[in-house]
């Protein structure tokens, strides 16, 4: 099975492997890192229902925030009969 493996002198490694029936795997490994300090957020989080949050990305969207599963529809024939 075809594969490509690459590594850098600083310890990073990448591999791209193809297996049975074209199943692909992409793997990345990084060297160990030192733990860093986490800073406090610059402001408190907003309540999604507050007026200040209007238009922000986490506001409810009927498309992205559906609470019910999408019904499984059967495929339909195309207009050209194929």
């Amino acid at each position: 099975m075809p594969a490509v493996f690459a590594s850098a002198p600083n310890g990073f490694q990448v591999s791209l492997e193809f297996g049975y029936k074209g199943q692909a795997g992409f793997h990345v490994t990084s060297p160990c890192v030192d733990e860093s300090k986490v800073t406090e957020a610059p402001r408190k989080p907003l309540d999604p229902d507050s007026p200040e949050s209007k238009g922000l990305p986490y506001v409810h969207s009927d498309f992205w925030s559906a609470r019910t599963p999408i019904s499984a529809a059967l495929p339909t024939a195309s207009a050209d009969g194929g």
Side-chain angles (χ1 to χ4, degrees):
M1 303 294 173
V4 175
F5 301 93
S7 61
N10 58 358
F12 288 92
Q13 299 175 347
V14 176
S15 68
L16 176 61
E17 304 170 58
F18 292 92
Y20 181 69
K21 291 190 176 183
Q23 182 72 29
F26 182 72
H27 306 275
V28 177
T29 305
S30 64
C32 293
V33 296
D34 294 329
E35 186 174 342
S36 63
K37 293 181 179 180
V38 177
T39 60
E40 288 295 320
R43 62 180 171 85
K44 291 186 178 184
L46 294 174
D47 178 355
D49 295 326
S50 72
E52 296 87 21
S53 68
K54 296 301 178 205
L56 294 178
Y58 59 79
V59 175
H60 176 83
S61 161
D62 290 336
F63 180 79
W64 296 108
S65 307
R67 301 211 190 297
T68 57
I70 298 172
S71 63
L74 295 174
T76 58
S78 64
D80 63 3

